[in-house]
Amino acid sequence: MTIIPAIDLLDGHCVRLYRGDYDRSTVYDTDPLEQAMRFKAAGARRIHLVDLDAARGKGKHNREVIRELCEKVEARFEVGGGIRNDHDVEELTAAGVDRLVIGTAFARDPSIIRRWTERFGKKFIAGIDATDGTAKISGWEEDAGISDVELAAMAAGNGAISIIYTNIKRDGTLSGPDIENSVRIAKASGLPVIISGGIGGEEDFRRIFGNKPEGIAGIIVGKALYEQRFDLKRVLALYQSEAEEAQEEW
């Protein structure tokens, strides 16, 4: 499994939301570039970026920040938030983004990943964010009208290379990851699943890596890092091997 530190961008700042609530955001006094460089120095080879402004679909985005990170930090970047048309994909691909996480656009039209894959290659991850089994879209502010399992079942057939699954009720809470439902999503899709939301400390890594849950390929970590609940360099040294990097096609 791969451990993927996250940077959530809102108005150019590093922030964390509580259960996806924009009105309950914590702004960290850290420049995104400095933060990405720290992650890289600790040994991270992949960094997860979320453009929270773009995710809301109100005309704002953080793409200049994303471009700077891709240019100045030697890591693989995956980006989610507000990727809804060809121009968005072209802009982020040109910026150097390695993986694009498609959430709202995928939920509204699952075939869009297949069309983009035919044009841009196999670089698209289906982002499935859910509350009580119901998928959410538009920055988690709207119901998608479909269950998380139904959406997962459509991902592989439409060209997604993996899924990032977020239990919104766990996100930003430090209460532990939703391993059970993440495995359910992996079984429904047949794709590698990256767990997102709820990591609270090193004990969660011991639990996940000790149990080796079927279909789980990666873990995204955010708030616990910013709250200094574990040491990233230590966790990467303990649980992530260099040999896995060559196999990381998802």
Side-chain angles (χ1 to χ4, degrees), residues 16-19 28 169-177 197-201 204 221-230:
R16 296 301 298 174
L17 305 185
Y18 181 83
R19 294 181 174 175
Y28 294 93
K169 286 189 173 180
R170 302 284 184 98
D171 190 71
T173 67
L174 306 171
S175 60
I199 294 290
D204 289 323
V221 293
K223 187 173 183 177
L225 265 178
Y226 294 92
E227 300 288 339
Q228 300 180 350
R229 287 176 169 248
F230 69 91

Side-chain angles (χ1 to χ4, degrees), residues 52-92:
L52 292 170
D53 290 297
R56 299 185 87 175
K58 297 182 179 180
K60 295 178 65 179
H61 59 73
N62 293 276
R63 290 190 184 154
E64 285 305 313
V65 175
I66 292 169
R67 180 183 294 277
E68 182 182 28
L69 296 182
C70 291
E71 288 176 349
K72 296 183 178 180
V73 182
E74 189 178 345
R76 298 176 71 186
F77 284 94
E78 60 187 39
V79 173
I83 304 171
R84 297 187 181 134
N85 54 51
D86 288 10
H87 175 72
D88 295 329
V89 177
E90 290 167 356
E91 192 169 30
L92 289 167

Side-chain angles (χ1 to χ4, degrees), residues 7-13 15 17 22 49-66 79-85 87-89 91-92 100-105 108 129 137-142:
I7 298 174
D8 289 5
L9 298 165
L10 188 66
D11 293 326
H13 301 292
V15 307
L17 305 185
Y22 282 75
L49 302 178
V50 181
D51 190 336
L52 292 170
D53 290 297
R56 299 185 87 175
K58 297 182 179 180
K60 295 178 65 179
H61 59 73
N62 293 276
R63 290 190 184 154
E64 285 305 313
V65 175
I66 292 169
V79 173
I83 304 171
R84 297 187 181 134
N85 54 51
H87 175 72
D88 295 329
V89 177
E91 192 169 30
L92 289 167
L100 292 91
V101 185
I102 314 301
T104 296
R108 288 177 171 162
D129 312 312
I137 58 175
S138 299
W140 302 351
E141 295 182 325
E142 299 176 23

Side-chain angles (χ1 to χ4, degrees), residues 51-247:
D51 190 336
L52 292 170
D53 290 297
R56 299 185 87 175
K58 297 182 179 180
K60 295 178 65 179
H61 59 73
N62 293 276
R63 290 190 184 154
E64 285 305 313
V65 175
I66 292 169
R67 180 183 294 277
E68 182 182 28
L69 296 182
C70 291
E71 288 176 349
K72 296 183 178 180
V73 182
E74 189 178 345
R76 298 176 71 186
F77 284 94
E78 60 187 39
V79 173
I83 304 171
R84 297 187 181 134
N85 54 51
D86 288 10
H87 175 72
D88 295 329
V89 177
E90 290 167 356
E91 192 169 30
L92 289 167
T93 300
V97 174
D98 299 284
R99 296 286 184 265
L100 292 91
V101 185
I102 314 301
T104 296
F106 171 62
R108 288 177 171 162
D109 177 11
S111 68
I112 200 166
I113 288 183
R114 183 173 67 251
R115 297 198 300 273
W116 282 340
T117 297
E118 290 170 355
R119 180 174 174 186
F120 299 101
K122 298 181 69 173
K123 60 180 63 181
F124 297 94
I125 298 172
I128 300 178
D129 312 312
T131 299
D132 298 325
T134 298
K136 297 282 189 175
I137 58 175
S138 299
W140 302 351
E141 295 182 325
E142 299 176 23
D143 282 352
I146 189 171
S147 74
D148 51 6
V149 169
E150 289 174 307
L151 202 52
M154 297 178 185
N158 282 289
I161 58 174
S162 59
I163 292 172
I164 293 176
Y165 180 70
T166 305
N167 180 332
I168 294 169
K169 286 189 173 180
R170 302 284 184 98
D171 190 71
T173 67
L174 306 171
S175 60
D178 186 352
I179 300 172
E180 181 180 353
N181 281 314
S182 298
V183 170
R184 185 169 57 92
I185 293 298
K187 289 180 178 178
S189 66
L191 290 172
V193 168
I194 303 164
I195 297 177
S196 174
I199 294 290
E202 191 171 324
E203 177 57 35
D204 289 323
F205 295 106
R206 282 196 291 270
R207 185 157 59 96
I208 294 170
F209 281 83
N211 292 334
K212 295 182 173 60
E214 184 179 355
I216 304 304
I219 308 162
I220 292 173
V221 293
K223 187 173 183 177
L225 265 178
Y226 294 92
E227 300 288 339
Q228 300 180 350
R229 287 176 169 248
F230 69 91
D231 180 80
L232 180 62
K233 185 174 182 177
R234 169 184 160 80
V235 165
L236 288 170
L238 283 172
Y239 297 110
Q240 186 168 272
S241 71
E242 292 183 8
E244 292 175 324
E245 186 169 10
Q247 303 171 15

